[in-house]
Amino acid sequence: MATLVLLRHGRTTANAEGGLAGRQPVELDETGQAQARSVGARLAAVPWAQVVSSPLVRCRQTLGLALPEVTPALEDGLIECGYGQWEGQALSALAKQPLWRVVQEHPSAAVFPGGEALSAVSSRAVAAVRRWDAVVEAERGPEAVWLACTHGDVIKAIVADALGLHLDLFQRIVADPASLTLIRYTQTRPFLLRLNDTGTDLAGLVPSPHGRSGRRGQLPDSDAAVGGGAGSATDGDRR
């Protein structure tokens, strides 16, 4: 099946100042720009079947620096959570509010004042990536690799769904700025291939001339290798 690469945007001015940007038009700071260029050097090795982005400027800036030759499709389902009245406030101040403990310990019940429920974020983000994944596979085949640039809580919600975790456990997941998370959806289950990856080579994502089934020892795409298997293919595996 197609492989989804989730890219979190680079660090923003709000991240650096300890604020909650939400849907405000905050931009990448110098560190975030450097992160975007750095991840771009890794992304350049992959033949992207599709690139999709949250419409917010920090994601579009990240892709503009990382993959300047690509024009991403904008996907509203991948936009940041609507934090409502929390947007623009310091995280240190928000941590003193009663809702903070709900967000930390029971996020499926969290609804931001004047904003969105975290459960709604999860539902629309998962629906968006699964819809795009089906389109990419139908148009480009099971070896296709596609990229979605989005936000930390959105990525965490998508990962929780892929792992079959209740949303109340999604705060155990980390998605750093400019990190990569890889998911492969199959007919019976998703596979989380990498999580919060900030430095490894992506050469193993380049399609093999023998197809993915050959790399996995003829196992059906939906089956997990008992014992862990040999891992993803690398350039050395294909030579």
Side-chain angles (χ1 to χ4, degrees), residues 2-227:
T3 300
L4 163 62
V5 178
L6 292 163
L7 167 64
R8 185 183 170 195
H9 60 78
R11 196 179 82 168
T12 67
T13 53
N15 296 145
E17 296 168 359
L20 182 64
R23 297 182 181 177
Q24 295 181 329
V26 299
E27 301 188 7
L28 303 184
D29 66 3
E30 290 186 3
T31 295
Q33 293 172 21
Q35 291 171 335
R37 294 187 185 97
S38 179
V39 76
R42 299 165 61 205
L43 298 176
V46 181
W48 299 105
Q50 179 67 60
V51 176
V52 180
S53 177
S54 158
L56 294 182
V57 64
R58 53 192 183 268
C59 290
R60 292 186 283 111
Q61 284 182 331
T62 299
L63 287 175
L65 293 168
L67 295 171
E69 303 302 318
V70 172
T71 300
L74 302 184
E75 171 55 61
D76 287 339
L78 296 178
I79 198 170
E80 177 66 286
C81 175
Y83 294 111
Q85 296 171 19
W86 277 33
E87 290 189 1
Q89 296 194 49
L91 293 174
S92 58
L94 294 172
K96 299 175 183 178
Q97 297 192 19
L99 181 60
W100 182 269
R101 296 295 353 137
V102 180
V103 172
Q104 296 299 316
E105 299 172 10
H106 191 23
S108 66
V111 181
F112 295 97
E116 193 174 15
L118 279 173
S119 59
V121 176
S122 175
S123 296
R124 48 104 165 152
V126 170
V129 295
R130 287 180 177 266
R131 182 177 67 252
W132 275 103
D133 194 76
V135 168
V136 169
E137 183 178 353
E139 294 181 351
R140 302 293 295 274
E143 292 290 302
V145 184
W146 67 285
L147 177 72
C149 185
T150 183
H151 308 271
D153 279 352
V154 174
I155 292 172
K156 289 162 60 175
I158 293 169
V159 170
D161 170 77
L163 292 175
L165 297 177
H166 195 282
L167 187 62
D168 285 345
L169 301 180
F170 100 133
Q171 298 291 22
R172 303 183 183 196
I173 299 164
V174 175
D176 290 326
S179 64
L180 300 174
T181 294
L182 280 62
I183 297 172
R184 181 178 301 136
Y185 293 100
T186 75
Q187 290 183 345
T188 59
R189 64 170 65 86
F191 289 96
L192 178 63
L193 306 180
R194 297 187 192 179
L195 176 65
N196 197 37
D197 183 340
T198 57
T200 59
D201 187 1
L202 298 180
L205 289 178
V206 178
S208 164
H210 304 295
R212 185 169 293 122
S213 61
R215 297 203 300 264
R216 299 188 61 205
Q218 305 303 320
L219 282 178
D221 276 339
S222 297
D223 288 359
V226 176

